[in-house]
Amino acid sequence: EMHLPFATAGAGISGPSEAVPEILFRPDVLIIDDDQSVREMLQDVFEELGCRTKVARDAPGATEIFPTEPFKMVVTDQNLPGICGLEFAEGLRKQDPNVILVLISGWGQGDLLDKALGSGVDLVSEKPLTVEKIIEMLNQAGALHRQRLEGS
């Protein structure tokens, strides 16, 4: 069972009384998850927050899409058909040393976090992803992106 962060379909991410935190980074995002409901939810939230997105259900699909757009950020599930997200992210890192790589995982993060950050992944986030977590992810990604542009 999955709970989406929206109260009702089409209600948007904030009511009139809620202040949406400032988002300073609105990259083109490639989202990879074999679960269609997760893919669609992530796409809806990222687009609602002002990002352009493309989605893929697996690594081969993402590998086809990745070179066709100027993606600044890739969000991939750890459990992809036929390959782990970590391994897939390592391959993308070789293609683009500056892309922000985010690994999402549905189970305990301890070991994964250490392994992921040691292998070129920039951020790790645990499901379920809330709008707040995604906003925080975008702001952390923006800081990393600026650091890379400045070469520090």
Side-chain angles (χ1 to χ4, degrees), residues 43-59:
Q43 185 171 33
D44 287 348
V45 174
F46 276 106
E47 289 184 356
E48 187 86 34
L49 295 173
C51 300
R52 289 180 52 228
T53 64
K54 288 275 168 94
V55 295
R57 71 166 296 280
D58 55 22

Side-chain angles (χ1 to χ4, degrees), residues 23 25-33 39 42-56 62 65-66 68-76 92 99-104 129 134 137-139 141-142:
I23 301 165
F25 188 55
R26 292 184 169 83
D28 286 7
V29 183
L30 176 58
I31 298 162
I32 307 116
D33 198 303
R39 241 185 359 256
L42 288 173
Q43 185 171 33
D44 287 348
V45 174
F46 276 106
E47 289 184 356
E48 187 86 34
L49 295 173
C51 300
R52 289 180 52 228
T53 64
K54 288 275 168 94
V55 295
I65 297 168
F66 186 68
T68 68
E69 304 264 341
F71 295 107
K72 298 272 186 280
M73 185 169 165
V74 174
V75 178
T76 182
L92 289 183
V99 70
I100 304 295
L101 295 172
V102 182
L103 191 66
I104 54 174
L129 290 177
I134 291 171
M137 180 192 296
L138 280 169
N139 287 332

Side-chain angles (χ1 to χ4, degrees), residues 62-64 66-67 88-99:
T63 303
E64 252 175 62
F66 186 68
F88 176 64
E90 287 172 358
L92 289 183
R93 170 65 67 224
K94 290 181 183 128
Q95 288 181 54
D96 183 348
N98 293 318
V99 70

